Amino acid sequence: MTSPDEPRAEETAPLRVAVIGSGPAGLYTADALTRQRRVPVRVDVIDRLHTPYGLVRYGVAPDHTKIKGVARALRHILEHPDVRFVGGVEFGADLTRDDLARTHHAVVYATGAAADRRMGVPGEDLPGSVAATDFVNWYCGHPDSEMRRYVLDSEEVVVVGAGNVALDVARILAKTAGELRRTDIPEPVLDALARSRVRAVHLLARRGPLQAKFTAPELRDLLELPDVDLVVDPAQVDIDPASVGRDRDGVARAARTNLRLLREHAARPPRGRPRSVHLHFWCRPREVLGGDRVTGVRVEGTRLEDGRLVGTGETADLPAGMVLRSVGYAGRPLPGVPFDEAARTVPQREGRVLGPQGSPVPGDYVAGWAKRGATGVIGTNKSDAAATVRSLLDDAPALLAALPEPVDLAEVVKGSDYGAWLRIDAAEARRAAELDRGERVKLHGWKAHRDAFR
């Protein structure tokens, strides 16, 4: 029962929370904050871009329209009356932690893990050797990407990695422009893909098919491409499914599904289709070859020895005019925020950011990939964000007491608002109608976005 001296919830000053990042982790954090009834809140979702949704917009492949539909659910979060979207504001440049100490009781860092991990081999920095993250940004129309960067003038491409992003990259390279026409892919990218000379894509997986990180739906997407042969060495998938153990989290079940699909496919001969994707298991890059630009990749066979991956010493050269490394995402340090260089994440305990001495930093929290690393699917961020919000709400009395009269964010920094994003959204729909290309065609570049909402 509420004490007569205790203010009712509607009389309590709202807890003001800044969420840095408007991808799934950031928006699920805002959702968890506005759904609870322990304390009234006001949430500012702050993003460097004028467009929300993070990797849902700029990481999910354009032909994965069902996954991109998550944006429709995230849209409702941004339209909550206690949530404000502030775009075009970069944390650490336009806005500092000291600024936020005056405007908000708490900050949740939900900035993801946008950097790529490196292979660490000679020749990695040759022209033509690039991060898959940059290539994904290009075909997803990220405003930082140069639309004319990729001319795709090589017949053979090597993709290093065996996760879903690697398969996405291979699939986009293997598809025709006609197959991608009804997606939201930017028009300059579609034109480049129409001129592409790529005919063979080689995926290098350091381990075997049972250890591959890609999922069965991604594998099926490759297997079902009408004009592409997926080439698999039957000997590499000649594994007894019964040898795959069982576990509770579904990893073994997923491995068995992948193995079954690969075994069934390897039993069929290639059909001589115009493009091909080659899966090379137990194979790692030793050197990117070339002088002025990439001409190939020297690869080495691998095996497991006492649970450790080791090289066999047997090498071969694959010709290629382009190498895309897809060996994982990593977090980037934020100005003034503790960072674990080894884990490439923000150090935390139960979502509370930890300082150099291992003690929580008052008012600082973290969610998503910045918190746990680049693991899980989009939905994983929901429970992750909820756990962080529980910690934040437990700390709410102390946070409110520490900042009795916060300054409004609009007095410190000016950014674009949710209405500006809706005008960009409408402009992309009009562009799609003009080109007869489905629901939307992404506008590309900072200037195009600003022109759309002015």
Side-chain angles (χ1 to χ4, degrees):
M1 186 172 180
T2 303
S3 164
D5 298 325
E6 185 178 331
R8 292 177 298 174
E10 61 266 26
E11 297 174 351
T12 304
L15 180 72
R16 297 190 178 274
V17 181
V19 176
I20 310 300
S22 67
L27 292 182
Y28 286 138
T29 297
D31 189 44
L33 284 164
T34 53
R35 283 180 180 273
Q36 55 81 35
R37 294 294 178 265
R38 293 170 60 179
V39 60
V41 296
R42 299 289 184 273
V43 183
D44 286 324
V45 177
I46 302 166
D47 203 289
R48 184 175 70 89
L49 305 181
H50 298 294
T51 52
Y53 310 139
L55 284 182
V56 170
R57 178 174 168 90
Y58 294 120
V60 174
D63 56 345
H64 277 174
T65 53
K66 288 184 179 179
I67 301 176
K68 293 173 82 68
V70 171
R72 285 188 283 273
L74 297 178
R75 177 172 182 156
H76 293 300
I77 300 170
L78 283 174
E79 292 174 347
H80 192 283
D82 293 325
V83 175
R84 174 170 57 174
F85 176 67
V86 183
V89 173
E90 183 176 359
F91 176 80
D94 306 310
L95 188 69
T96 67
R97 183 62 184 91
D98 288 342
D99 293 329
L100 292 173
R102 297 191 294 125
T103 58
H104 293 81
H105 298 100
V107 180
V108 181
Y109 304 103
T111 50
D116 68 286
R117 294 187 181 274
R118 294 177 61 81
M119 298 183 295
V121 301
E124 186 170 7
D125 294 318
L126 280 172
S129 173
V130 297
T133 51
D134 290 340
F135 190 70
V136 170
N137 282 344
W138 175 72
Y139 66 61
C140 285
H142 194 289
D144 287 343
S145 183
E146 299 176 19
M147 283 292 96
R148 299 185 183 279
R149 179 172 184 186
Y150 298 101
V151 294
L152 306 179
D153 58 353
S154 303
E155 292 193 1
E156 299 198 65
V157 173
V158 166
V159 179
V160 181
N164 282 343
V165 173
L167 264 63
D168 279 346
V169 167
R171 189 181 65 256
I172 295 298
L173 285 168
K175 276 191 167 184
T176 65
E179 290 172 306
L180 293 166
R181 180 170 176 75
R182 306 299 292 180
T183 72
D184 64 4
I185 201 164
E187 189 74 1
V189 175
L190 193 66
D191 290 342
L193 291 169
R195 297 189 298 269
S196 171
R197 295 181 57 205
V198 176
R199 293 297 176 265
V201 181
H202 300 268
L203 269 82
L204 308 185
R206 294 189 304 157
R207 293 177 172 82
L210 297 180
Q211 294 83 27
K213 299 296 185 182
F214 55 74
T215 60
E218 289 280 351
L219 180 57
R220 286 193 182 96
D221 284 345
L222 269 182
L223 292 171
E224 293 170 1
L225 292 180
D227 295 318
V228 178
D229 278 330
L230 183 66
V231 182
V232 183
D233 182 351
Q236 292 190 332
V237 294
D238 186 15
I239 302 168
D240 182 0
S243 67
V244 185
R246 298 180 180 274
D247 59 16
R248 290 181 295 178
D249 63 9
V251 172
R253 183 171 65 251
R256 284 195 297 273
T257 302
N258 284 343
L259 180 61
R260 176 177 58 79
L261 292 171
L262 290 168
R263 282 166 58 92
E264 290 173 356
H265 185 79
R268 308 181 197 127
R271 301 182 184 180
R273 292 169 174 172
R275 297 184 182 184
S276 58
V277 175
H278 305 252
L279 293 181
H280 302 269
F281 294 107
W282 301 112
C283 179
R284 67 183 180 187
R286 297 299 296 173
E287 182 180 356
V288 177
L289 306 174
D292 295 333
R293 60 168 295 167
V294 170
T295 59
V297 180
R298 180 158 297 149
V299 300
E300 179 187 23
T302 59
R303 68 173 185 270
L304 287 176
E305 190 174 279
D306 297 327
R308 294 184 308 108
L309 188 77
V310 298
T312 65
E314 298 176 1
T315 63
D317 292 349
L318 286 175
M322 183 179 183
V323 176
L324 293 157
R325 62 180 181 273
S326 180
V327 293
Y329 288 91
R332 289 193 178 109
L334 297 169
V337 180
F339 189 71
D340 184 335
E341 289 286 352
R344 305 294 295 177
T345 58
V346 175
Q348 56 83 32
R349 185 185 303 120
E350 297 180 333
R352 297 179 179 92
V353 174
L354 301 179
Q357 306 305 316
S359 299
V361 178
D364 278 21
Y365 302 84
V366 62
W369 279 5
K371 171 185 176 182
R372 67 181 190 275
T375 61
V377 295
I378 291 173
T380 309
N381 292 293
K382 198 165 193 176
S383 57
D384 180 283
T388 292
V389 167
R390 283 194 294 272
S391 293
L392 193 158
L393 293 174
D394 287 344
D395 301 340
L399 297 171
L400 286 162
L403 184 65
E405 297 182 10
V407 176
D408 187 76
L409 181 65
E411 297 181 26
V412 176
V413 69
K414 304 295 183 185
S416 59
D417 60 11
Y418 184 66
W421 153 240
L422 291 181
R423 291 191 287 278
I424 294 171
D425 186 52
E428 293 184 340
R430 289 194 300 272
R431 182 67 170 149
E434 292 166 0
L435 297 169
D436 188 26
R437 278 197 47 200
E439 294 184 6
R440 70 163 61 240
V441 170
K442 283 180 181 170
L443 303 179
H444 173 262
W446 290 88
K447 182 178 184 301
H449 288 168
R450 287 191 293 265
D451 289 347
F453 67 71
R454 282 175 178 165

